[in-house]
Amino acid sequence: MIVVLQPGALPPEIETIKEKLRELGCEFFTTRNTQRIMLHITGGEAHRAPSALKLLPGIARVVSVTSPYKLASREVQTEKSIIDLGEGLTVGGDKIVVMAGPCAVENEKTLFRTAEKVAAAGAGVLRGGAFKPRTSPYSFQGLAEKGLQLLAAARERTGLKIVTEVINVQDVELVAAYADILQIGARNMQNYPLLQKVGQQNRPVLLKRGLAATIKEWLMAAEYILSAGNFNVILCERGIRTFENYTRNTLDISAVPLVHALSHLPVVVDPSHSCGDSRLVPDLSRAAIASGADGLLIEVHPEPQQAYCDGEQSLTPREFHLLMESLPGLARACGRCLETGPAKLKNSTKQKTTHYVAASTP
Ligand code: PEP
Ligand code: MN
């Protein structure tokens, strides 16, 4: 059961509510996001007296949560979450945010070139892996901290936010020191210690769906992050394993409206890993927007044939630019608009005021 407090609940009112819960023999913990404070109750007799509780001043709603993913569910929060990336960039509101860049950070020249091109085309976030989870131990594993430094330098030049993957618990703080969004890759969706660790950070998390994860398992993974205190979770559908092998994975487009019905968390789509074929990426991107996605995560490389990984699914900057040109009209037809990104290069005088939504304090 969850007690949702009114936005302006006063400290003495909150204390009285807690006192009442203690009287009823309940255990509870508190979470707090930008919109509200909630008391999460286990045990005790509160379920026998929900209407008496509702009458206490300061309580907005008493919700008996039936879904196993409690904090992620729409039962607890009816309105969609809007994740603040700082400097006016948000995910989950009216604006569709495009995150684009190479699969892996390879070197300064390629990264800066890609960053400038995707920023000019209207992306808001630069993607690129510094720690790569590769199927083969002999494949390029990423530049590690050097890659993070290059991403930070690309952010300085372009004003783009950066999203990058963290694959180990021990690297979470390091990656959080550089990244604007921590990416949890498909292979780590059920790495529970890693989920708990990113749940303790004050950074938004992009949680990719596992290679063969059901929607329930994916939302339960999000629950690990939320219950550790971090409410800034963005879900990412990136294709699932099916019998079809003409494509790398199968984009589960129905996951987008379904997850929106089940959860308040924003959902973005990665069409690149979904299909593994750059020819399909533009149409899948548009399908994602038509299905209600809050953003896209797209691989772009200036010379896909030379890419260290995933060149076959990477768009060239020109192809990316053409795709971006096709999106505003579609977004409008879907009642949304396209975020135009920082559209600022190097010598801009715009002040940097990055801030993050405070994580909850259990
Ligand atoms: C990636 O986005 O770089 C990546 C490795 O994707 P996924 O975890 O979806 O395979
Ligand atoms: Mn990739």
Side-chain angles (χ1 to χ4, degrees):
M1 211 162 109
I2 295 186
V3 170
V4 183
L5 301 188
Q6 282 167 354
L10 301 169
E13 290 173 340
I14 301 175
E15 216 22 71
T16 310
I17 296 163
K18 289 183 176 173
E19 204 42 57
K20 181 73 186 166
L21 291 173
R22 284 186 205 107
E23 260 171 44
L24 292 167
C26 304
E27 289 190 14
F28 58 88
F29 66 95
T30 312
T31 56
R32 205 182 292 268
N33 64 17
T34 41
Q35 287 128 343
R36 65 193 66 247
I37 300 176
M38 294 187 278
L39 304 175
H40 304 262
I41 302 163
T42 52
E45 299 294 313
H47 59 286
R48 295 198 204 284
S51 36
L53 273 180
K54 263 184 224 156
L55 295 176
L56 291 178
I59 292 186
R61 288 186 299 136
V62 178
V63 191
S64 152
V65 187
T66 52
S67 76
Y69 39 88
K70 300 187 184 307
L71 298 170
S73 87
R74 282 267 190 187
E75 285 178 271
V76 164
Q77 185 178 313
T78 47
E79 71 275 23
K80 262 184 86 179
S81 282
I82 299 180
I83 312 299
D84 187 355
L85 302 180
E87 293 173 292
L89 198 65
T90 57
V91 184
D94 289 344
K95 290 187 176 171
I96 293 163
V97 177
V98 180
M99 312 179 188
C103 178
V105 178
E106 299 172 357
N107 53 58
E108 181 180 285
K109 189 165 162 249
T110 312
L111 185 70
F112 286 4
R113 209 169 134 202
T114 314
E116 279 163 14
K117 294 284 185 194
V118 301
V125 180
L126 175 67
R127 62 145 291 143
F131 293 94
K132 294 302 301 175
R134 303 305 301 278
T135 303
S136 165
Y138 309 116
S139 302
F140 177 61
Q141 304 286 314
L143 298 179
E145 189 167 5
K146 174 74 189 148
L148 298 173
Q149 288 164 350
L150 292 176
L151 284 165
R155 170 175 53 202
E156 272 304 302
R157 287 171 78 91
T158 59
L160 293 168
K161 300 288 173 193
I162 55 181
V163 56
T164 193
E165 183 164 352
V166 55
I167 58 179
N168 277 315
V169 170
Q170 64 268 28
D171 292 328
V172 168
E173 270 135 15
L174 174 74
V175 178
Y178 290 93
D180 298 294
I181 308 173
L182 298 168
Q183 178 172 323
I184 298 294
R187 289 155 194 80
N188 271 315
M189 190 206 82
Q190 286 179 311
N191 181 338
Y192 299 117
L194 185 61
L195 298 178
Q196 277 165 331
K197 186 75 182 179
V198 296
Q200 289 157 6
Q201 309 303 309
N202 195 7
R203 282 283 180 280
V205 176
L206 181 111
L207 176 64
K208 289 196 144 195
R209 182 174 180 183
L211 306 171
T214 63
I215 287 175
K216 188 168 166 185
E217 288 163 341
W218 186 22
L219 290 171
M220 290 308 290
E223 192 75 11
Y224 266 86
I225 304 171
L226 300 169
S227 63
N230 189 344
F231 275 74
N232 299 312
V233 176
I234 302 165
L235 298 166
C236 178
E237 161 62 39
R238 46 77 73 205
I240 47 173
R241 285 261 165 97
T242 66
F243 54 81
E244 180 53 68
N245 57 12
Y246 268 20
T247 48
R248 183 176 179 182
N249 292 291
T250 297
L251 172 57
D252 181 7
I253 203 79
S254 60
V256 180
L258 181 54
V259 170
H260 276 147
L262 298 170
S263 173
H264 52 85
L265 298 173
V267 185
V268 306
V269 168
D270 171 349
S272 310
H273 291 88
S274 293
C275 65
D277 180 341
S278 61
R279 294 172 305 172
L280 312 187
V281 168
D283 282 336
L284 294 184
S285 301
R286 289 184 281 266
I289 290 181
S291 70
D294 298 297
L296 297 168
L297 181 73
I298 300 176
E299 287 188 341
V300 177
H301 194 284
E303 290 170 290
Q305 332 72 271
Q306 308 299 328
Y308 291 7
C309 47
D310 288 351
E312 58 295 347
Q313 67 193 37
S314 298
L315 297 183
T316 62
R318 173 91 191 127
E319 287 165 340
F320 179 70
H321 175 82
L322 291 174
L323 165 62
M324 291 296 280
E325 278 191 335
S326 76
L327 299 184
L330 173 63
R332 266 197 305 282
C334 300
R336 309 287 287 269
C337 56
L338 199 72
E339 168 64 56
T340 48
K344 81 176 173 132
L345 291 174
K346 216 167 155 182
N347 299 321
S348 164
T349 51
K350 193 173 165 216
Q351 226 192 332
K352 288 201 170 59
T353 52
T354 309
H355 66 279
Y356 294 95
V357 177
S360 76
T361 46

